[in-house]
Amino acid sequence: MTIETVHVTMPVKTYDMSKSDSWTQEQWDEWHGDHYHIDEWSLQILDNAVIRLAIRLIYYNERTEYMYFQFEAQNKLAHDLSFELLQWDIDEIARTLADQAPILLQKQTLDYRFDKGIAFPFMGEWEQATLQIKLTNAETNEHIQTFNIIITKKYTPMF
């Protein structure tokens, strides 16, 4: 089984809250007080002949103590595809996800969204996440490809 590694940089805006008393209304509107939900944002992960995969949202549910990635996928094949998240490492702390059921992506699906989550005691300020994803032909059970997706945050100070 070959594993392809894909490196992705996730842009993150940072704000100096010590200066917030001098922010303009436009600066407040940009910040909008929500660091864990990212609106109108998409992090492209894969785009090949088989699948287009992006992360649309990353959030932490304090009640369930689960961290979630919301994926948007497009199956480009003429047959159903099984999407399985095998392992999820956050700052080198590994979480095996073998107990989670695979997601079925029907043939030539357009922009199908689904959430995958793991138990994580606090979202905190993680710097790097690695997702191991396995794609399988859902009709023949033939392995197509396995990917290690390494997502590294890149911080940009705003104001």
Side-chain angles (χ1 to χ4, degrees):
M1 173 174 71
T2 60
I3 299 177
E4 182 180 337
T5 300
V6 177
H7 293 273
V8 179
T9 301
M10 183 175 127
V12 178
K13 296 177 182 177
T14 61
Y15 303 90
D16 184 351
M17 296 306 293
S18 69
K19 298 177 182 176
S20 64
D21 58 344
S22 64
W23 287 359
T24 66
Q25 184 58 48
E26 290 80 21
Q27 289 172 317
W28 277 107
D29 290 344
E30 180 178 332
W31 178 71
H32 64 78
D34 195 346
H35 297 289
Y36 298 118
H37 289 77
I38 303 170
D39 300 324
E40 298 179 23
W41 173 86
S42 181
L43 181 62
Q44 191 71 34
I45 302 294
L46 296 170
D47 194 359
N48 57 30
V50 175
I51 190 170
R52 183 186 63 75
L53 183 67
I55 295 174
R56 294 284 301 156
L57 186 65
I58 300 172
Y59 63 97
Y60 182 75
N61 184 319
E62 292 177 4
R63 184 180 56 77
T64 63
E65 294 187 340
Y66 266 64
M67 180 177 172
Y68 292 91
F69 279 20
Q70 182 184 84
F71 293 95
E72 181 178 79
Q74 177 187 9
N75 177 359
K76 297 181 181 180
L77 300 177
H79 55 76
D80 293 347
L81 187 65
S82 174
F83 172 96
E84 192 173 356
L85 192 53
L86 302 176
Q87 186 165 312
W88 187 336
D89 301 350
I90 300 172
D91 288 337
E92 300 180 11
I93 300 170
R95 307 274 194 306
T96 301
L97 304 173
D99 60 335
Q100 292 195 10
I103 300 292
L104 179 67
L105 299 175
Q106 294 181 343
K107 58 186 170 189
Q108 299 173 336
T109 304
L110 296 176
D111 299 331
Y112 177 69
R113 291 189 184 182
F114 57 93
D115 291 2
K116 291 299 266 184
I118 60 165
F120 195 68
F122 180 66
M123 186 172 173
E125 290 300 322
W126 61 275
E127 297 300 320
Q128 187 174 71
T130 302
L131 310 173
Q132 187 172 72
I133 297 168
K134 178 181 175 184
L135 300 177
T136 306
N137 181 325
E139 296 170 10
T140 65
N141 209 27
E142 177 185 345
H143 176 256
I144 296 172
Q145 183 76 45
T146 300
F147 297 94
N148 272 340
I149 312 294
I150 300 172
I151 303 167
T152 306
K153 288 183 175 180
K154 180 182 179 193
Y155 295 94
T156 303
M158 297 305 293
F159 42 84

